[in-house]
């Protein structure tokens, strides 16, 4: 744990930040600023009023470490098409 936050909790915050960046068409830097300025965004991320959002570089590292199947087309996984990937049932 870093700073009293578990890895699972941090992953949840970062994933939600990625969702915000997609919904509002924000870059990693912009979503960091947005979260730091918006009480609604902090509430969505379960951050305290005085807590800072994770740094944009942490968000980039998290996004790069997502497995390919967990990186939907809207997170910019390098997909060439504009449709979501096919998922094979098994």
């Amino acid at each position: 744990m870093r700073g009293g936050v578990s890895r699972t909790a941090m992953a949840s915050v970062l994933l939600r930040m990625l969702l915000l960046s997609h919904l509002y068409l924000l870059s990693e830097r912009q979503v960091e600023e947005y979260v730091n300025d918006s009480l609604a965004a902090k509430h969505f991320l379960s951050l305290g009023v005085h807590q800072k959002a994770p740094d944009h570089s942490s968000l980039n590292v998290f996004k790069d470490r997502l497995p390919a199947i967990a990186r939907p087309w809207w997170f910019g996984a390098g997909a060439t098409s504009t449709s979501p990937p096919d998922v094979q049932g098994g």
Side-chain angles (χ1 to χ4, degrees), residues 13 17 20 26-45 47-57:
V13 169
M17 283 180 72
L20 287 175
L26 301 172
S27 70
E28 284 80 9
R29 287 180 189 265
Q30 290 172 323
V31 78
E32 177 189 356
E33 269 185 52
Y34 172 68
V35 169
N36 285 328
D37 292 340
S38 169
L39 289 176
K42 285 185 182 219
H43 179 72
F44 176 68
L45 298 177
L47 293 177
V49 174
H50 299 291
Q51 275 185 293
K52 293 272 187 193
D55 190 70
H56 65 275
S57 60

Side-chain angles (χ1 to χ4, degrees), residues 71-84:
R71 257 186 274 169
W73 57 275
W74 59 81
F75 285 154
T80 55
S81 80
T82 57
S83 60

